[in-house]
Every structure is written in structure tokens, then in C-alpha cells.
Amino acid sequence: MHTFKDYTGSVYGGLGHLLWAYCQAKQIPIPSKLALIQDLERFDFIIWRDLLSELQALTGHSHLALDIASMLETKHLGVMGYLASSSANIETAIRRYYDFHRLLYDGNPLVVEAKDDVLLIRWEVPEALVTNLTNEIAIALVFQFFNRYLRPDQFQLAEIHFSHAAPKSTVFYEKYFGCPVKFQQTYSQVIVPISILALPIDQADQTLQQLLLQQAQHLLSQLPNSTQLDQRLQSAILTGLQQGEFQLEQVAEQLNVRPRQLQRHLQQQGTTFSERLQEVRLLVAVQYLRDPHLSLNEISLLLGFSEQSAFQRAFRKWTQMTPKQWRKQYALKAHLTAV
């Protein structure tokens, strides 16, 4: 019997926002799974992996991961990104990245290893979980992380390694990263010259750094419960709603735990399965209501309600508004923002 210890990791919600921004910029249809995670603080690594694969299938883009990473902004990295940008120098920024990497991707360790005159930076993710796309975007995000805080004339990587097989042409990769790129290596990793560590960061702010450190430490202390139980359960309920299988026993089966075990976990969190189900239903309902093409009856069915009136009663209980009122309010805000 598997338990929550088999948890495979969660990803910071800002990376979901990065995928959304990319789809909008490239006029790519928004995948339904991507829409569902936009209001989540974190989501399962498996969803991240599957979304990248879905976008690859939609676009046929041979360098999709690198293209997505090029749109990275500090906000997509959350508090960790702002911690790095307020650091005094690159060495401190890397230290912050190492100390708080779980805030970006929680599940497997980040390894930072000094060897001769270079620094090796890599994620240790089980091969069963990764794809070429997840490898490439992980490395490209680290590259863009550095690229944001150093001028091009200062910054030069030593090498990039990928564990997967080389494509037909590696020219694009070497142009993108500005250094030699090797494939079929032991690890996918960024290799940085130690000589750049002392380089200052223009946006350094010691006062902001201390405030952000406190916030990051607080967030990190919350990860064990929120990622191993709450986020995984939320994803399972989302899947269950899509498949019409969202009863306690069915969700517990998805998670490979006994129903009583799941109930005990929820009791320890001070909640119940019914409460968690309603929270997820509200989250999804809001996403569906933003789509003017979906009728209230269709939304009711998608949320697992037997009839529209049951959905309307539930939504009023959640928000003190009817679905029609919420949709009208949202449309008005969208109009005012556009103007």
C-alpha cells in the first residue's frame, strides 16, 4: 500500500502563470488543466510535466521549453525570485536559491556542488518522472534566473549538460545558452564559473532581503503539510470531478490510501472531505464561470451536481452571490480593465 510518503513533488503556482502568459503571447488555446491551476498556490509536479507535453503537442515547437523560459519574470518565481534579486551578489543569490528551492519545486533536492573552478547546479528528479521537456525547462529557468541579474557582458556559463539524447541539431541550444551544450550526460545541469560569484546585483536591497527571508522561512515551514496532503488531495479531487468519480472512497483510491487513513489526515488538518470537496468545487466553478461559452447547466454537470438548482444553492452559500451575479460582476471588471 502506497502512502503520502510516495509524494512526487509540487510546483509553485507562478510557473503555471508563466505557462498561461506564454499561451496568451503565442495565441495558443489554453489547456483546461492549465486553467484549473491558475488560482492554486502550488500544484503537482505531474501536472507540470503533463502540461508541458500537452503544449508540445499543440504547438509542435522543437524548442518549446527554452521559448517558455525566455518569458520568465521575477514574479513567476515568487518570494524566491525576489530574494535573489535583492541579494548583494551572485553567490548570495545562489545560496538563497539553494536554501529555498523547495518553494519553487518541492519534491527532490537541488544539488549545488563546487568542482575545480566551476559550480554544478542540478535537480535530482527520478528519471521515471522527467521528460526531455521537464529537463530542458528546469535548466533554462536556472539560466534565465542568472540572466535577469547580470549584464550579458558579465555573464558566461561554462557548460550546459542534458541527460537525454541530442536532437538533430544542437546549434540553437548553444546560441540560446551562449556556451557548449552536451547531451547524454550523467545529469542535466548548469555549470557556472566560480569567478562570477562575486559579481554584484544592481537591485540589491538588504532591508528587503531580511523581510523576504522571514517570509520565505515561514512559507518553507508550511510545505510539509500543504504539499504532501492538501495539494495532492486537491489535484485528486480535480481529476475526480472531471471523471465523475469524486466520492471519498474514489479519491482515496486515486491517492492509493485507505479511506479511513485519508479521513484521519483531514481531521489532523481540522477539516473534512466534504469541506475540501466544496473548496475545490468553488475553485473550479470560478474558472468555468469566466468562460461565457459555458452555460450554468453545463457548469453544474461538470462540477458533479445532479441539477442546476443544487449548484446555484451551493454557489450562493460559498460566495453570497448567485452564479449569474458573479459572472456579471466578473464581466464588468474585465471590461473596465480592458478600457
Side-chain angles (χ1 to χ4, degrees):
M1 173 72 72
H2 296 291
T3 70
F4 285 109
K5 293 180 180 179
D6 296 307
Y7 172 69
T8 57
S10 68
V11 175
Y12 174 58
L15 292 182
H17 301 159
L18 172 62
L19 296 186
W20 182 282
Y22 180 79
C23 288
Q24 288 190 315
K26 303 296 182 180
Q27 298 184 323
I28 300 168
I30 303 292
S32 58
K33 191 176 289 187
L34 179 56
L36 292 175
I37 64 168
Q38 289 306 297
D39 290 335
L40 297 184
E41 181 67 23
R42 307 188 69 83
F43 57 94
D44 277 4
F45 177 82
I46 300 300
I47 295 177
W48 171 249
R49 181 194 67 185
D50 292 348
L51 278 171
L52 290 171
S53 297
E54 186 172 351
L55 290 176
Q56 175 80 81
L58 281 171
T59 64
H61 196 325
S62 57
H63 305 115
L64 176 70
L66 310 189
D67 203 25
I68 291 172
S70 296
M71 296 187 63
L72 181 72
E73 297 180 28
T74 304
K75 65 182 180 181
H76 297 134
L77 301 176
V79 67
M80 196 185 75
Y82 293 106
L83 261 175
S85 64
S86 63
S87 297
N89 53 42
I90 292 299
E91 181 177 8
T92 305
I94 292 176
R95 189 179 297 122
R96 299 294 179 244
Y97 195 96
Y98 178 79
D99 289 342
F100 298 106
H101 68 273
R102 288 184 63 210
L103 297 180
L104 184 64
Y105 167 57
D106 171 50
N108 294 87
L110 180 76
V111 176
V112 178
E113 177 186 353
K115 185 176 182 181
D116 299 326
D117 58 350
V118 297
L119 208 61
L120 311 176
I121 303 173
R122 65 178 181 269
W123 297 96
E124 290 199 341
V125 183
E127 286 300 314
L129 295 176
V130 300
T131 64
N132 293 4
L133 282 170
T134 59
N135 274 339
E136 290 186 6
I137 201 164
I139 297 302
L141 288 173
V142 173
F143 168 72
Q144 294 295 345
F145 171 86
F146 285 118
N147 211 28
R148 290 194 62 81
Y149 309 122
L150 290 174
R151 296 196 310 269
D153 61 316
Q154 291 180 312
F155 179 49
Q156 177 69 47
L157 292 178
E159 281 185 0
I160 292 290
H161 288 182
F162 288 115
S163 58
H164 56 272
K168 291 181 179 179
S169 173
T170 62
V171 173
F172 180 88
Y173 290 86
E174 294 184 346
K175 184 177 180 181
Y176 182 93
F177 291 109
C179 68
V181 179
K182 297 181 179 179
F183 292 83
Q184 288 187 300
Q185 302 298 300
T186 305
Y187 300 107
S188 291
Q189 59 187 355
V190 179
I191 304 178
V192 181
I194 287 179
S195 59
I196 76 166
L197 297 186
L199 292 174
I201 293 176
D202 294 338
Q203 305 170 45
D205 184 330
Q206 191 60 35
T207 301
L208 179 60
Q209 178 86 177
Q210 292 305 313
L211 291 172
L212 290 170
L213 273 172
Q214 293 175 13
Q215 183 183 354
Q217 287 162 352
H218 173 68
L219 290 171
L220 198 61
S221 70
Q222 294 182 317
L223 276 185
N225 288 331
S226 65
T227 59
Q228 292 185 26
L229 172 62
D230 190 64
Q231 297 299 331
R232 219 179 143 213
L233 173 60
Q234 185 160 292
S235 296
I237 293 174
L238 281 171
T239 301
L241 284 172
Q242 292 170 349
Q243 298 174 349
E245 299 177 352
F246 51 87
Q247 301 305 315
L248 171 65
E249 293 76 11
Q250 294 167 323
V251 171
E253 185 178 355
Q254 274 197 65
L255 296 170
N256 289 319
V257 298
R258 291 183 294 274
R260 287 185 180 180
Q261 183 184 358
L262 176 56
Q263 286 177 316
R264 283 196 299 272
H265 277 292
L266 292 172
Q267 286 170 356
Q268 291 169 4
Q269 296 291 316
T271 187
T272 65
F273 179 77
S274 177
E275 288 172 346
R276 292 298 294 121
L277 172 61
Q278 299 315 312
E279 289 171 10
V280 175
R281 271 178 158 166
L282 172 58
L283 171 71
V284 181
V286 167
Q287 292 293 340
Y288 286 149
L289 286 169
R290 289 174 178 170
D291 184 346
H293 300 102
L294 286 174
S295 69
L296 295 185
N297 187 54
E298 289 171 328
I299 293 173
S300 302
L301 295 174
L302 288 168
L303 293 173
F305 288 99
S306 57
E307 54 187 36
Q308 183 177 322
S309 60
F311 165 54
Q312 290 173 318
R313 286 194 300 271
F315 193 84
R316 180 185 283 275
K317 184 178 179 181
W318 299 332
T319 66
Q320 287 72 58
M321 285 189 288
T322 66
K324 281 186 177 180
Q325 289 170 334
W326 191 97
R327 183 172 256 177
K328 185 176 181 180
Q329 187 179 87
Y330 173 76
L332 178 60
K333 286 181 179 178
H335 174 71
L336 291 175
T337 302
V339 172

